[in-house]
Amino acid sequence: MEILVAVIGLAGALLAAFAAGALIRRLRDEPEGWLIAWTVAAVAVCLSLGVIAVGYLMGFGPVTFRLYQVTGSMLAPLWLAVGMIQLLAERVPPRFLAWLMGIALTIVAGTIMIFDPLKSTEMGKVLPAGSALWQTVPVGYLLIGVHAIAVLIMLAMAVVAALKWRSGDEYDTDNLHASLVIVPSGIALVGAMRFTVPPLFTTVLLAVAGAAIWYVVLRPLAPYEDDDEDDFDERQEAPVRQESPMPVGERVPRGRRAVPEPVPAADLPPAPPRRPTGLGDLVAEYRAGDQQVDYAARMVPPADAGPATGYIMNGAPPQQAPPQPQAPPQPQGAPPQRADRGMPSQRADYAMPPTPPPPGPATGMLYSGSDLFSPPQPQPQQQAGGGKPSPNIYGLLTVFTIMDGAGEAFDRLAEATVEAVRRGEPDTLVYACHAVKSAPLQRIVYELYRDEVAYRDHQRQPHVERFVNERQSMVLATNVIELNVNAAKVVPLPTVMF
């Protein structure tokens, strides 16, 4: 019988070692809490079974007995229970409390079990029972408490897994499958350690616990293989714990969405010409990880975009053109030239005065496409040197991360604020709210002001104070970026006519 128990213990130790190795390899790609906890449990089961095999071959002593009890009776069931919490809990507080409890009990109980004196040190080649050698106080009651906590946690987590499975997805089905394997084996292990059972039965239950850990890692909790693009699209809407790019065909961690492997540009079909839509799409592409885009080229309008319909006015309305210089004397017989554009005319001083700006706030968008067909006008001298914006222009880019379910309310509030800014803030040059296609819970507000004084005036407006106050309950995080405008082109945005 001793040889049979030693063989079973050695085989179970090898099985638990394989399970621990699989968990450790998985941890390099997935630093998940349940993997860490069950790695501790698998190592504890491996050491406990190894001690049993050595003890039945060479005899037990105080060191081997303590190691067997610390690993098999205390660490294995405790960290199986902690791993169940890490697997099924979706919030940080229960996971943190599970870590705190597991580490505290491991340190306190392990120290007491290592240094507490035994009732007897005479042991043979038969697995000794813990109740026959441990003092009732404190080790006896301490192990009772650890076992009771482990059993209660595993039963509660089994119920949680069943409730999640009733209205969940394939992740919850796999979690229930894993719970139905780990929970019975963990409770049976506690019963074998708590009550007097034959040594062969205790050894077999320890080996079953190691096999259960190995099974759930290789089967129900194995990484998903997202080889089918349709499956990937269907799982886009499923709740996930973490979003990190993982290549298709690789080991995809549970709870993480797989992002398809980028296709080389040479293999892609030619895309239809696209007109750039402004800063919002650029920021969305950057946050989505598409950092290979030539953003400078994206800001250049294509050749078929049509005539330019807007001019940068350097934050101020256009002034009357200065008096045109007197045309130099023309040679006799040469036709007179106009002073504005060099076109033939009867007199050089007949140049038409500049058209006054239309009524309304100066927003940097003062001309439409119809002006291209008006009579030629003289160009102000201040534009001859280039169109660089005023260095006093003040800009901001604010990225809001809104709470789930608050998108419509935030958009309504932002729309009302933009309308109030348009009507009552002539020194606000641009005030636009963008939605991010790749991140539905993010909004980007882009602001340009004539100068910093105009920005301070903007902050004191009632509609801005209302926007700041009412968005507090909708916004989870805010990131503000101050901007310097080096170059720009501003045109009137197309609007929908109702």
Side-chain angles (χ1 to χ4, degrees), residues 14 23 27 30 45 47 50 76-77 82 117 131 133 144 160 195 315 409 455:
L14 292 176
L23 287 165
L27 272 172
E30 284 179 74
V45 170
L47 292 176
V82 172
S131 58
L133 296 178
I144 291 175
V160 170
F195 305 104
Y455 169 66

Side-chain angles (χ1 to χ4, degrees), residues 3 24 36 57 61 77 82 123 158 175 183 227 238 312 353-354 370 481:
I3 298 298
I24 293 173
I36 298 174
L57 292 176
V82 172
M123 306 172 195
N175 291 342
V183 171
D227 294 328
I312 290 295
S370 61
I481 305 171

Side-chain angles (χ1 to χ4, degrees), residues 291-382:
Q291 301 185 24
Q292 301 299 323
V293 178
D294 187 356
Y295 297 105
R298 283 287 307 276
M299 296 305 293
V300 178
D304 59 350
T309 59
Y311 301 94
I312 290 295
M313 302 308 297
N314 292 337
Q319 306 295 329
Q320 292 288 346
Q324 298 296 328
Q326 186 68 28
Q330 301 294 329
Q332 186 175 3
Q337 300 293 325
R338 291 186 57 174
D340 50 347
R341 295 193 180 180
M343 298 180 62
S345 176
Q346 294 182 357
R347 293 185 57 184
D349 56 350
Y350 279 176
M352 299 179 63
T355 304
T363 61
M365 299 176 290
L366 298 180
Y367 297 101
S368 65
S370 61
D371 294 323
L372 296 173
F373 304 96
S374 61
Q377 304 295 332
Q379 297 295 326
Q381 293 294 330
Q382 60 180 2

Side-chain angles (χ1 to χ4, degrees), residues 26-36 242 253 256:
R26 182 100 170 256
L27 272 172
R28 292 183 300 180
D29 299 328
E30 284 179 74
E32 297 285 348
W34 60 275
L35 285 172
I36 298 174
Q242 184 179 2
R256 296 172 67 181

Side-chain angles (χ1 to χ4, degrees), residues 189-202:
L189 177 59
V190 170
M193 293 295 180
R194 182 76 264 147
F195 305 104
T196 302
V197 296
L200 178 62
F201 190 63
T202 302

Side-chain angles (χ1 to χ4, degrees), residues 77-94:
L78 174 62
W79 285 96
L80 282 177
V82 172
M84 291 295 298
I85 296 177
Q86 300 297 323
L87 176 67
L88 298 175
E90 296 181 354
R91 297 184 179 275
V92 175

